[in-house]
Amino acid sequence: MAVNDGLSRLVARAQPRHRTTTEFVEATLREAILSGVIAPGTPLRQEELAETFGVSRMPVREALRQLEARALAEFHPHRGAVVAEISAADGADIGAIRMALEPMALRLSLPGLTAADLDQAEELIAEMDGEADPGRMGELNRRFHMTLYARAGRPRLLALTEQHLLAADRYLRFQFAALGYRPRSQDEHRALLAACRAGDADAACRLVEEHVGEAAEQLTAFLEGREAG
Amino acid sequence: MAVNDGLSRLVARAQPRHRTTTEFVEATLREAILSGVIAPGTPLRQEELAETFGVSRMPVREALRQLEARALAEFHPHRGAVVAEISAADGADIGAIRMALEPMALRLSLPGLTAADLDQAEELIAEMDGEADPGRMGELNRRFHMTLYARAGRPRLLALTEQHLLAADRYLRFQFAALGYRPRSQDEHRALLAACRAGDADAACRLVEEHVGEAAEQLTAFLEGREAG
DNA sequence: TGCCAGGATATTGGATCCAATCTATCACCA
DNA sequence: TGGTGATAGATTGGATCCAATATCCTGGCA
């Protein structure tokens, strides 16, 4: 079974240190969908998932409802849930949201950033230089961005930003596999970090907006080509 | 019972034309929370809600999970859910998100706006002039904003924007009740509409950002005073 | 040969039941 | 008298069971 195959590995190594079974199932499924372990369009059969997780159908149902609210799964009444499809239009949608949220997060965070934060960001850039694995690269990229936003002091804004960084990751997987990492991305990361170190908020916000925008643009072009072909 | 009282009225006049009971419960509860019919901090007892809706506890449970994913309810394992609290910090958080999303939505929508859209926006401003009821005012305000963003062609961005407009409404209720509607708001609406009619994207985006920012600022000040006192 | 109808099957949606756990109360002891 | 521990009640979390609905296949008919 395509679903169980990759997922059961995730389930096996997932620490069930969650307080309820529902939380455990939701977190693991979300990870699986965002990381691409379960492909878009895959039907999420309740019974099958329940068996994989070793629980009854009920916590699975509640978890699926939460995933629906996060736009990671689509419900069709009496026909079940499927993993949300990916499309060029949706990729552009997520890109637009990131272009709106991330400059705001950075602007709020910048004054509070410590030297340690900036050093950690620099270290993450260095790690990305030598990384080939797409999944790991996505995680490093996400951590780099979130490190810069961490001092915004706006929990909702940060949660929303991270959620859409994760959603973008899911998309970027497809691009990574075909084209490799976007070469200019690292240059942009370095320029962004330099602006943050200089405390130049306007420049930093402009850079992050351009950075996200270019990534989204290239992704959209790639996906449109994929849909056309 | 404080919960049932206002809620049962909503339930009574709600058309159960939803495909599943869970959808019906979720939509009605969301409306009740956002509109303030159920106050922040109110415990959401599953049995009580089930009785009010005339269903079993199960669809209530699934609906509550979805509300949690939307940050409208907070879950405490084995202790139940409560309606999400409101706070000055959270109000500022929502304000920051709106300030990020709405200029982006407007910029994407502006080129596609029709004369009919602009006329409808103007009509909504006129309606707001003569409106005293806070709930109705919030709805008109929301429709005005969403009308201007409607042609963005980004479903996720629009859904997120509307969700945070609704969340802001929930907060504004408290301010309405104490201070009435912010007087300068209508002037800003008119200026914004004028910029849209002129097709001046930069000005329109700047105006909407300022508009949202000022509303958020005043709200935050009000809530901080309320929390201090 | 193609299309429509009807029934069998699979899967979800909803109800009921049981177990786990949290809270509050009360007795008991220092 | 104040604090601590045990116990009872209430409430949620999870499992199982039943009903409702969609899909798919097959057979009959034009």
Side-chain angles (χ1 to χ4, degrees), chain B residues 2 5 20 36 54 77 79 87 94 97 109 124 168 177 183 191 202 207 211 223:
Chain B
D5 212 37
T20 69
R79 293 194 313 169
S87 68
I94 292 170
I97 293 170
S109 175
L124 287 165
D202 289 335
L207 284 170
H211 171 61
L223 286 174

Side-chain angles (χ1 to χ4, degrees), chain A residues 91-110:
Chain A
D93 212 330
I94 292 171
I97 292 171
R98 286 188 61 197
M99 283 178 71
L101 293 180
E102 297 194 27
M104 172 66 75
L106 183 58
R107 190 175 291 277
L108 291 169
S109 173
L110 203 54

Side-chain angles (χ1 to χ4, degrees), chain B residues 25 76 111 176 222:
Chain B
V25 172
H76 303 277
F176 284 154
F222 169 71

Side-chain angles (χ1 to χ4, degrees), chain B residues 5 18 30-31 89 92 94 96 103 106-107 110 112-113 128 139 152 157 162 164 170 189 199 201 206 210 223-224 229:
Chain B
D5 212 37
H18 298 264
R30 186 179 53 198
E31 176 64 23
I94 292 170
L106 183 58
R107 191 176 291 278
L110 202 54
L113 281 178
M128 278 190 269
E139 187 194 330
L157 175 62
E162 182 154 34
H164 287 88
R170 178 160 173 258
H189 283 159
R206 187 174 45 75
E210 286 174 8
L223 286 174
E224 275 171 356

Side-chain angles (χ1 to χ4, degrees), chain A residues 5-18:
Chain A
D5 210 39
L7 183 60
S8 54
R9 230 170 327 203
L10 263 186
V11 173
R13 76 154 187 264
Q15 286 97 14
R17 81 161 95 112
H18 297 263

Side-chain angles (χ1 to χ4, degrees), chain B:
Chain B
M1 308 177 186
V3 174
N4 282 352
D5 212 37
L7 184 60
S8 55
R9 227 168 330 200
L10 263 187
V11 173
R13 76 153 186 265
Q15 286 98 13
R17 79 164 99 114
H18 298 264
R19 284 168 303 185
T20 69
T21 309
T22 299
E23 279 180 38
F24 167 65
V25 172
E26 197 270 341
T28 309
L29 270 182
R30 186 179 53 198
E31 176 64 23
I33 293 174
L34 286 170
S35 68
V37 167
I38 311 182
T42 307
L44 295 165
R45 301 256 159 269
Q46 296 178 2
E47 193 102 33
E48 184 180 353
L49 292 173
E51 197 175 346
T52 306
F53 280 96
V55 299
S56 84
R57 262 178 54 212
M58 171 108 7
V60 172
R61 277 165 67 174
E62 289 193 7
L64 289 177
R65 285 290 175 192
Q66 285 183 290
L67 294 175
E68 183 198 18
R70 290 183 198 279
L72 292 177
E74 295 167 10
F75 258 78
H76 303 277
H78 292 111
R79 293 194 313 169
V82 299
V83 176
E85 292 284 357
I86 72 172
S87 68
D90 197 43
D93 212 330
I94 292 170
I97 293 170
R98 286 189 60 196
M99 282 178 73
L101 294 180
E102 297 195 24
M104 172 65 77
L106 183 58
R107 191 176 291 278
L108 291 170
S109 175
L110 202 54
L113 281 178
T114 65
D117 293 329
L118 294 165
D119 290 346
Q120 191 184 343
E122 184 149 9
E123 201 169 313
L124 287 165
I125 293 179
E127 274 190 68
M128 278 190 269
D129 274 333
E131 187 58 61
D133 175 57
R136 180 101 183 104
M137 177 67 93
E139 187 194 330
L140 291 171
N141 180 60
R142 195 166 71 243
R143 279 172 56 197
F144 167 74
H145 279 265
M146 290 310 293
T147 299
L148 293 182
Y149 312 147
R151 307 296 172 186
R154 296 272 188 273
R156 277 176 102 125
L157 175 62
L158 286 188
L160 214 55
T161 302
E162 182 154 34
Q163 190 178 320
H164 287 88
L165 262 166
L166 279 162
D169 262 11
R170 178 160 173 258
Y171 275 79
L172 286 172
R173 284 255 171 171
F174 285 76
Q175 193 182 351
F176 284 154
L179 307 177
Y181 196 66
R182 192 165 58 90
R184 282 184 49 202
S185 191
Q186 284 287 75
D187 297 340
E188 292 164 15
H189 283 159
R190 278 181 234 279
L192 173 57
L193 180 59
C196 290
R197 278 202 193 278
D200 188 343
D202 289 335
C205 289
R206 187 174 45 75
L207 284 170
V208 76
E209 185 175 347
E210 286 174 8
H211 171 61
V212 171
E214 282 174 32
E217 210 167 294
Q218 188 163 337
L219 173 67
T220 306
F222 169 71
L223 286 174
E224 275 171 356
R226 195 166 157 275
E227 284 171 13

